[in-house]
Amino acid sequence: MMKKVLIVFVLLLVTSFGQAQFFNRVDTIRVIENGIQLANPWAGGINFPAVNELDANGDGRKDIFIYDKFNSKISVYLNNGNTNYELAWDYSPEYAFKFPPINQWVLMYDYNCDGREDLFTLSPIALSAMAVYRNDFTPGTGLQWTLVDDYLDEAYQTLRQNIFVSGVSLPGLSDVDNDGDMDIIGYNSFPDARFIFHRNYSMENYGNCDSLDFKYETGCWGNFALQVGGANAVGCFNCPCREGRPHVSNPLYEEPKYEQSEAAPLDDTVSGMMLIDIDGDNDKDIIIGDVASYNSLLVINGGTNVSANMVSQDTVFPSYDVSAIFDGFHYHSYLDIDNDGARDLLVHPNFNENHEGMWFYRNVNTDAHPIFEFVDRSFLQSSMIEGGENVAPVLYDYNNDGLLDLILGFDEFVTATSHRTGIRYYKNIGTVTMPAFELIDSDVATISQFNFTSPIYPSFGDMDGDGDKDMIIGNEDGRLAYFVNNGGPGNVSDFTFVAFNYMTIDVGKYSTPQIYDLNNDGLNDLLVGEQNGFVNFYKNIGSISSAFFNATPTNDSVGCIAIQAPFTTDGFTVPFMYDSLGSKRLLVANENGFILSYDGIDGNIDGCYHFKGNAIDSSESTRFKFNITVSGGDLNGDGLTDIVIGQSTGGVEVRYQSNSGIGIGETTQIKPSVALSPNPASDKLNLRFYNLSIGSKSVLRLYNVTGELVKSIVISSIETQLDLSGFSNGIYMVQLISGQNSVSRKFIVSH
């Protein structure tokens, strides 16, 4: 047995190590849940979102931008113009790489009045300041950003100080005084839970709105203070103002005139605020989320836009309808979800609501006087495979029909303190060359009853020689659970629990097993990943009819693989060994967000494997912060092994293996895109292509809702028009293929 040596293998840059298998993302595979075809099945789950709107593709419609703090993921959903909110948003991962670095949180606001949303985030050089990026979109280049300020500051008396923000709290960006430029409302939790007005003097000083010229106006905006400790509520209205410079040692406060209760802990932090004129009186009211409370708070401004004076509150906003109360603190977003011209309210908590955490309230009135009615508690999430968090997809022919099905280990929070783990079965209802999946069983073998600690990772292989594949599950406690398959050869799987501590194998934490005959002796062995970044090999020393393993691994660091994230001993390795053209290959997913590729395994199972690089082009910005998983099989019948990736946000990604010979680490071209209008369409559909070389091999394919190819054309110009007179009413998919890249869009035909 090889002695395990801790080697810190920091993966900051992956370079090419020659030709290797490469995997390209596929978004066109249909998925059905509860009889409904999911609009964005492979969008990847949502856990900890900051939601904003911007026009990402320049078509004049506001799209949705989501930054998921849970794993630093950027997602863009293009607006196709549909008034059915469930069909209006097309997941477009090719836009993710077009944004500047984001730190902790993000807000979009058009500060310079050019019609394009600019980007605000926590400063990269100071934890208590914000950075500003200007949106310099052009039709030729698309989205591009210019850093305007990496340390936004303001005048305070004779000094200059940063406009204070934190890594948790979202400031309020709005034209607070209605003079035409963007102001900022901040929050000062200590000592007295007041709101700060950072006034922009761009209009006053320059006569236009394109500058960020701030002055500390008052530390008591609105003449109110929040309750400190307990519920998210106002502590006092018309509180005497105790002015001074916040967030510095020995602040120069006036003699205190207002004090919070000494009995209340001074630990409250506003998680987010949104400024909105909700009562139609032309001044800014405020909706507040609080890190220590589960309710949304609306505070009404009874003053003016110049002199705010808060006079009333709704502590369970909107109290007249379904209140936005979560097991977690809130962010709020104001954007038009259903394309009716009136902005709606989106409320999203920031932990624990990992599968029903996007609450949509429709504005049934106007922007000038919005009235919100609850519609949906899983906006966008209901359009995708959403397993909560730390999901583990595996391809396995569950019903023995010759098609690989999708098996998904999931973890969904039920309350703030409890969660449910289990396994879902998505049957492959497609063909050998064109898969499609339908959810058949949301709790295979009622595994949820066992309360396995998350994440759970299933694997399949015949351990008792009866011709069907049994199941071994890894989980957070480092051990393995064994379920025997009583279905028999050629029948639907029927799993029965046997043991929690299979063969007393224990890798410490986060066991991720794969059943695989590594040494080619005809017996299924075990490869098991672990938290510490190694892959363990357990040789099967039993028989075909009765597998047996020693509790001590045969090799506790297969391939000399040792993967740790920077500054930690954690790697969270997930192995996937497969056969490729007569040779063994190994993929290892890990906490760094990469999927590492290895060969040189045949005849060298106890030696050091050859590292080939990252199996996914790192320029795509589809990397994930931690705990991604990988498994695979041939999904499209081309003889190559494809992969499925489990994401920490609860989603799944499918990638087909490319046989193009592209080397891992090589730079790929900017991904092509296509804009469709109008959508829905009746007689004609206009298409415009971006980032596309017309001289290359570029093809447009159209599929109906069942996945049938109805039309295929070679692209010869950057614009084209399709005649829809022969198309039936319904949903169609456009797939643009250019070289090794592809992108898909939905459109609706309605004659």
Side-chain angles (χ1 to χ4, degrees):
M1 180 181 72
M2 181 180 294
K3 176 74 173 175
K4 185 178 287 185
V5 179
L6 188 64
I7 303 171
V8 178
F9 190 19
V10 181
L11 296 165
L12 299 178
L13 177 65
V14 179
T15 57
S16 177
F17 288 80
Q19 300 297 304
Q21 275 120 344
F22 203 76
F23 299 88
N24 296 316
R25 184 181 176 99
V26 181
D27 291 309
T28 55
I29 300 173
R30 293 184 300 121
V31 178
I32 296 172
E33 291 187 1
N34 303 316
I36 300 172
Q37 181 171 320
L38 302 184
N40 299 291
W42 312 107
I46 298 173
N47 273 31
F48 201 143
V51 185
N52 291 266
E53 65 175 6
L54 85 163
D55 185 0
N57 59 352
D59 66 353
R61 291 191 289 257
K62 299 298 185 184
D63 310 304
I64 289 178
F65 169 94
I66 297 178
Y67 174 71
D68 202 311
K69 189 175 180 179
F70 192 76
N71 67 350
S72 305
K73 178 187 176 183
I74 291 173
S75 301
V76 174
Y77 295 81
L78 293 182
N79 186 349
N80 62 39
N82 200 310
T83 55
N84 182 340
Y85 76 94
E86 295 180 305
L87 302 176
W89 306 98
D90 298 326
Y91 179 55
S92 305
E94 68 273 17
Y95 285 86
F97 71 95
K98 297 187 176 187
F99 292 86
I102 292 173
N103 186 13
Q104 298 295 317
W105 52 261
V106 61
L107 287 171
M108 300 279 188
Y109 193 96
D110 179 15
Y111 81 86
N112 59 353
C113 307
D114 64 356
R116 300 186 294 267
E117 286 77 13
D118 308 296
L119 189 149
F120 297 75
T121 187
L122 192 67
S123 170
I125 65 171
L127 294 179
S128 61
M130 72 176 81
V132 185
Y133 293 85
R134 186 181 65 239
N135 184 347
D136 289 331
F137 179 98
T138 68
T141 60
L143 280 174
Q144 54 185 0
W145 304 87
T146 301
L147 178 63
V148 176
D149 200 333
D150 60 2
Y151 186 88
L152 192 61
D153 64 359
E154 66 182 350
Y156 177 81
Q157 298 180 356
T158 61
L159 306 173
R160 299 219 43 105
Q161 65 180 15
N162 65 294
I163 296 177
F164 181 87
V165 293
S166 75
V168 176
S169 299
L170 292 180
L173 308 183
S174 182
D175 183 5
V176 176
D177 53 8
N178 285 351
D179 67 348
D181 53 27
M182 183 201 78
D183 308 300
I184 299 173
I185 298 295
Y187 180 66
N188 183 20
S189 61
F190 182 83
D192 55 359
R194 304 298 288 257
F195 290 81
I196 307 168
F197 181 22
H198 310 277
R199 186 176 180 183
N200 191 353
Y201 280 78
S202 180
M203 290 297 298
E204 289 85 349
N205 292 339
Y206 312 109
N208 57 60
C209 60
D210 65 357
S211 297
L212 297 167
D213 188 3
F214 289 97
K215 178 184 176 182
Y216 180 93
E217 197 75 9
T218 177
C220 302
W221 180 78
N223 299 319
F224 78 115
L226 293 184
Q227 175 179 309
V228 177
N232 182 23
V234 174
C236 68
F237 292 105
N238 294 313
C239 315
C241 184
R242 128 177 171 166
E243 264 303 356
R245 187 181 175 203
H247 311 295
V248 297
S249 57
N250 300 315
L252 303 175
Y253 283 109
E254 295 178 357
E255 185 69 24
K257 299 175 181 177
Y258 166 73
E259 296 282 356
Q260 291 282 356
S261 169
E262 295 182 359
L266 297 172
D267 62 357
D268 277 19
T269 300
V270 167
S271 60
M273 64 188 84
M274 187 178 75
L275 295 154
I276 178 176
D277 182 10
I278 204 164
D279 55 2
D281 62 353
N282 202 38
D283 56 30
K284 295 297 188 296
D285 312 300
I286 187 168
I287 302 175
I288 301 168
D290 191 280
V291 72
S293 303
Y294 299 157
N295 62 297
S296 283
L297 170 66
L298 168 66
V299 187
I300 295 295
N301 186 355
T304 67
N305 53 36
V306 177
S307 181
N309 184 48
M310 301 308 186
V311 296
S312 64
Q313 63 178 319
D314 180 355
T315 59
V316 285
F317 174 78
S319 58
Y320 57 83
D321 198 67
V322 178
S323 299
I325 299 178
F326 301 102
D327 291 326
F329 56 95
H330 306 46
Y331 288 162
H332 305 85
S333 303
Y334 192 38
L335 64 170
D336 189 0
I337 297 294
D338 53 6
N339 285 316
D340 66 352
R343 286 177 291 176
D344 310 295
L345 177 67
L346 197 64
V347 188
H348 28 103
N350 291 281
F351 59 91
N352 294 340
E353 296 280 356
N354 58 21
H355 66 295
E356 291 185 344
M358 295 276 281
W359 286 27
F360 165 41
Y361 291 81
R362 177 179 285 118
N363 184 354
V364 296
N365 206 34
T366 65
D367 275 2
H369 189 184
I371 298 174
F372 300 117
E373 291 186 356
F374 176 79
V375 177
D376 190 353
R377 66 182 66 239
S378 57
F379 170 64
L380 290 180
Q381 291 178 294
S382 60
S383 73
M384 64 185 67
I385 295 175
E386 174 61 273
E389 60 189 58
N390 299 329
V391 298
V394 175
L395 297 176
Y396 162 62
D397 187 2
Y398 188 94
N399 61 345
N400 276 296
D401 65 351
L403 302 176
L404 289 174
D405 307 302
L406 176 64
I407 309 301
L408 184 69
F410 68 87
D411 177 16
E412 294 178 340
F413 274 89
V414 180
T415 68
T417 57
S418 65
H419 60 99
R420 183 175 74 101
T421 56
I423 293 176
R424 297 178 189 168
Y425 160 42
Y426 291 84
K427 178 183 177 181
N428 190 342
I429 59 173
T431 66
V432 172
T433 60
M434 186 176 289
F437 299 105
E438 182 176 6
L439 179 63
I440 301 299
D441 191 345
S442 60
D443 192 10
V444 170
T446 61
I447 286 172
S448 63
Q449 69 179 310
F450 298 106
N451 296 317
F452 289 120
T453 51
S454 173
I456 62 171
Y457 193 95
S459 59
F460 301 91
D462 189 359
M463 310 304 291
D464 55 8
D466 64 353
D468 56 23
K469 291 186 177 182
D470 310 297
M471 178 169 63
I472 292 176
I473 297 175
N475 69 112
E476 188 270 344
D477 73 4
R479 298 180 295 175
L480 304 175
Y482 177 54
F483 290 74
V484 67
N485 188 352
N486 296 313
N491 298 320
V492 176
S493 299
D494 180 15
F495 295 109
T496 301
F497 170 73
V498 175
F500 281 116
N501 192 15
Y502 181 64
M503 299 291 172
T504 66
I505 292 171
D506 188 348
V507 297
K509 286 285 189 179
Y510 296 94
S511 54
T512 54
Q514 183 193 7
I515 301 171
Y516 183 85
D517 182 9
L518 181 61
N519 60 357
N520 296 323
D521 65 353
L523 303 178
N524 278 324
D525 308 304
L526 282 173
L527 295 170
V528 187
E530 56 165 282
Q531 179 177 350
N532 289 336
F534 302 94
V535 177
N536 300 269
F537 167 48
Y538 294 85
K539 180 183 176 180
N540 188 347
I541 58 175
S543 63
I544 292 178
S545 61
S546 181
F548 187 83
F549 304 93
N550 288 323
T552 302
T554 309
N555 185 336
D556 63 357
S557 52
V558 162
C560 306
I561 296 168
I563 305 168
Q564 283 82 40
F567 314 112
T568 78
T569 59
D570 292 341
F572 296 98
T573 49
V574 180
F576 173 60
M577 188 80 72
Y578 65 101
D579 298 302
S580 175
L581 303 176
S583 300
K584 288 181 171 61
R585 298 267 187 168
L586 175 64
L587 300 178
V588 182
N590 58 83
E591 188 181 33
N592 295 294
F594 295 101
I595 297 178
L596 307 183
S597 177
Y598 299 84
D599 65 7
I601 302 167
D602 299 279
N604 186 39
I605 64 171
D606 291 321
C608 296
Y609 302 159
H610 301 156
F611 174 55
K612 303 294 289 186
N614 187 13
I616 299 175
D617 181 7
S618 57
S619 70
E620 293 184 72
S621 293
T622 54
R623 296 170 51 198
F624 302 95
K625 188 176 180 181
F626 61 91
N627 287 1
I628 65 169
T629 67
V630 66
S631 184
D634 184 6
L635 271 175
N636 60 354
D638 63 355
L640 302 175
T641 298
D642 311 304
I643 60 173
V644 287
I645 302 171
Q647 303 170 7
S648 57
T649 50
V652 179
E653 189 172 286
V654 177
R655 289 179 174 262
Y656 287 166
Q657 185 180 154
S658 169
N659 59 1
S660 65
I662 296 177
I664 291 176
E666 294 181 11
T667 301
T668 62
Q669 65 183 30
I670 296 176
K671 302 300 185 288
S673 61
V674 56
L676 311 176
S677 66
N679 192 5
S682 56
D683 301 318
K684 304 289 184 181
L685 180 68
N686 301 308
L687 300 98
R688 182 176 177 85
F689 307 102
Y690 299 89
N691 305 322
L692 187 69
S693 178
I694 301 302
S696 67
K697 187 178 179 181
S698 300
V699 178
L700 192 74
R701 296 176 179 172
L702 277 71
Y703 299 89
N704 61 21
V705 71
T706 65
E708 179 185 0
L709 179 67
V710 296
K711 193 176 186 64
S712 179
I713 60 174
V714 176
I715 299 170
S716 58
S717 66
I718 62 170
E719 292 183 350
T720 190
Q721 187 178 77
L722 293 178
D723 183 0
L724 303 178
S725 58
F727 286 62
S728 302
N729 290 341
I731 301 174
Y732 292 82
M733 185 75 70
V734 169
Q735 183 185 26
L736 170 61
I737 302 172
S738 181
Q740 296 300 313
N741 299 302
S742 69
V743 62
S744 301
R745 294 281 180 268
K746 294 197 305 291
F747 72 95
I748 298 172
V749 176
S750 180
H751 296 298

